[in-house]
Structures are given as C-alpha cells and as structure tokens.
Amino acid sequence: MALIEVRDLDKHFPVRGGFLNRVVGHVHAVNQVSFDIKRGEILGVVGESGCGKSTLGKTMIRLLEPTRGSMRYEGQDITELSHAELMPFRRKAQIIFQDPYSSLNPRQTVREIIGEAVRFHRIVPRDQEEGYIIDLIQKVGLRADAREKFPHEFSGGQRQRIGIARALSVKPDFIVADEPVSALDVSIQAQVLNLLMDLKDEFGLTLMFISHDLKVIEHFCDRVLVMYLGHVVEEMNCIDLQDSASHPYTQALLGANPINDPSDRRPLTVLEGDVPSPFDMPPGCPFAGRCPHQIELVPMRADAHIGIAPLDAGPSIQAIRRFLGQCMQEMPPLETYVEGHRVACYAVDAEAVGAAASR
C-alpha cells in the first residue's frame, strides 16, 4: 500500500474585489491532481514558476487547506482532521522551505529553532535535549558550536542545513522539500543534495522533491510529476525521462536543459504563445495554446465515409481531434500508457510510448 494517496486534489484561492469586497473569482492553483507516493521513494515535482508545485506540497501537509479532493496518509484520510487530530500527522510530515533565511526565526539561536519542535512533540526527555540537538547539527554537517549562533551568522547553504536539521528533529517519515537548493550556488547545491540522499537512506525517509530543474530531478528522484498550470500532464520513472517523455511540455522542458557536450549544437526548444491566466482558466487542455501539435494542424479534406480526413493520409483519429479543436474544448485525461507512465495528451501515440519504454 502507498504511504500517501492523493485523489482529485484541488486548491483554489478566492480573489476579492468591488465595493463590498466580494469574491469575484478564483485562482486555480492545483486542479484534479491524483498520485501515490510509495514508502521510501523520492517523488519529483517539476514545472515552470507558477505551475502550482509549492502549493501542492503545502496542501499535502495541510499548511494550506484543500478546496476539494482527498489525501490519505498510511490509509488515514487527513483531509477532514481537526487541528488537534492533525498533531500526530504533523510530527510524521515535515517541510523544508525554499528560502533558507526567511523560514528561520532571526531572533532565535539554532538551539532554540531546533529545540522548539523537539520539546513540543516530546521527542526526547528534557535532560537529553542538548545532546540530541548537537547530534542533529553534526549530522547535517555543522559544528556543535553552531547551536549558539543566529541565522544571520551563516551562509545560505548552512542555513538550509539548519532547516533540514529542524525538519529531521521530530523524526518524520515524510518530508516535502520545496526547491531546497534553488537559492544556492551550484557547488553548494550538490552538497545539499548529497546530504539529503544520505539522510534519506539513514532515516528511511520518503521525500517529495519540488524543483524547476529537470537535471536535478533526473539525478535525485525515482519518479517525476510534470505540472503545467495546476495540472499533472505527465508522470513517469526518472530513469526513462530522456527516452520516453511523451507530453509536448515535458519534451520542451528537456529541450531547454543545458547540454553537457559543448559540441552538440541541437536547436533550442522555444515555446510560442503565452501561459493562460490561472484566474481565467481556458476550457480544454491548458497547454493547447502553446502546443506544437495543436498549432501545426494537418490539412484536411472532405470524405464521404468519415466526413473529414487528412489530405495526404488515411483517416487519423488524432488528426481529426486536433482539427475539430478537442484540445481546446476538453481536458485530456491522465491515462496510463505503460505501467508507471501516465500522460494527459490527445496527440500521444500509445504504440510509440510502449516502444520507447521497451528499449
């Protein structure tokens, strides 16, 4: 059984305006998201800024209240739990925030930052608290005397290590890592990622790793969810990412990655068109306005038997769907093409996905 099960999760933020400050609409940050996370795995969530990654992570651990949908942790539905009933879950699920400075109280020392959660959840007896804090600080690669210092006395990478120590202090099973390395230098990013990997193995953690960098996701995670405008458009194993990515948005993200070989002069993938507003969501697929499959329509001719067909080919259901604007009218369902690989796109060829997965 999966450790975490998310089903049809929505998170919409009300927008108020007018003389009476009434609700005039909603920002659709997360829309109909469903997935599972197995115990001990690292699930990556990737997408451009504003696609709903961080909102999804915060909603999963009830820092934000979901609009609709359900979330189950170890089989227990946590969606409707009261504040008091959530306390056992709070200890099991923690978060590492993106900004390692604003997430730490500047008026508290490291000992107070970490010890606050330890005392609240009664992790260890009071007389063992000092030794427990020192052990945590050393596990994340800091010296024991760091516990007497304030956050402003550390570098960005060191502050992120303090945030990791705070998350580990209550002995959690599940951690949401919300872009924990995006604010750090590249050399420091590698250190923090290696630290997270070591701690994951040592403590048996399950991680949800949020990032906008597919290179980091591919290196660090077991599976990946690709999000666009609040929707999951593709889910697959990271080991298959380069060969089997099928959604045009995932392919565009891969095409925008830096190339390791400087002699490889492949053309850069550039998406045309504008990202729709999450306040005024268009009908159909949110990516349709920028999708090359939707833009490059197949020339059509009338046909007595099927009504419409491509000029240079036989009947094609995919071409007909695109010509009739189905992408613009209906949101494609997130369908399973091979085990562990789901795609939400009418233009995806199921046989091609299966052939890529078998290689």
Side-chain angles (χ1 to χ4, degrees), residues 316-336:
S316 168
I317 296 300
Q318 291 178 357
I320 293 170
R321 281 174 168 170
R322 294 202 299 275
F323 181 80
L324 295 178
Q326 184 169 3
C327 295
M328 295 289 192
Q329 299 171 13
E330 299 177 10
M331 177 63 196
L334 192 63
E335 296 182 333
T336 301

Side-chain angles (χ1 to χ4, degrees), residues 168-180:
L168 291 173
S169 66
V170 294
K171 300 180 180 179
D173 297 324
F174 173 63
I175 292 180
V176 174
D178 184 10
E179 301 200 44

Side-chain angles (χ1 to χ4, degrees), residues 121-271:
H121 290 282
R122 301 177 182 175
I123 303 300
V124 295
R126 194 63 180 264
D127 59 342
Q128 300 177 20
E129 184 179 304
E130 186 74 8
Y132 183 72
I133 292 173
I134 292 174
D135 185 51
L136 275 174
I137 292 172
Q138 292 176 332
K139 281 186 184 296
V140 298
L142 297 176
R143 293 172 45 177
D145 59 1
R147 68 189 188 281
E148 305 296 342
K149 298 180 179 180
F150 291 88
H152 72 270
E153 300 180 72
F154 298 94
S155 67
Q158 290 173 325
R159 284 196 287 263
Q160 195 60 284
R161 291 171 186 265
I162 296 169
I164 293 171
R166 179 178 60 182
L168 291 173
S169 66
V170 294
K171 300 180 180 179
D173 297 324
F174 173 63
I175 292 180
V176 174
D178 184 10
E179 301 200 44
V181 298
S182 64
L184 308 178
D185 294 337
V186 174
S187 60
I188 306 301
Q189 286 184 13
Q191 296 175 17
V192 173
L193 288 174
N194 290 333
L195 171 64
L196 284 173
M197 185 66 76
D198 293 340
L199 293 173
K200 182 256 181 188
D201 294 337
E202 180 177 352
F203 292 96
L205 298 172
T206 302
L207 293 176
M208 179 175 172
F209 187 86
I210 298 170
S211 177
H212 58 264
D213 190 337
L214 263 180
K215 286 280 188 182
V216 173
I217 291 286
E218 187 177 8
H219 166 74
F220 188 71
C221 301
D222 301 311
R223 288 189 302 123
V224 59
L225 294 179
V226 182
M227 291 190 68
Y228 184 82
L229 209 66
H231 295 270
V232 173
V233 296
E234 187 160 13
E235 176 188 357
M236 63 187 304
N237 295 323
C238 287
I239 196 172
D240 302 323
L241 191 57
Q242 292 291 337
D243 297 328
S244 302
S246 302
H247 196 279
Y249 178 63
T250 311
Q251 294 170 347
L253 290 178
L254 288 171
N257 270 339
I259 306 299
N260 295 328
D261 184 2
S263 63
D264 188 350
R265 297 297 183 182
R266 71 183 69 176
L268 179 67
T269 301
V270 179
L271 292 174

Side-chain angles (χ1 to χ4, degrees), residues 34-51:
S34 299
F35 61 91
D36 295 338
I37 304 180
K38 299 176 184 177
R39 184 179 293 275
E41 80 168 343
I42 305 176
L43 176 70
V45 182
V46 70
E48 57 194 328
S49 297
C51 72

Side-chain angles (χ1 to χ4, degrees), residues 42-63:
I42 305 176
L43 176 70
V45 182
V46 70
E48 57 194 328
S49 297
C51 72
K53 307 183 299 295
S54 297
T55 301
L56 174 62
K58 293 174 182 177
T59 304
M60 283 182 58
I61 61 174
R62 290 283 303 273
L63 286 182

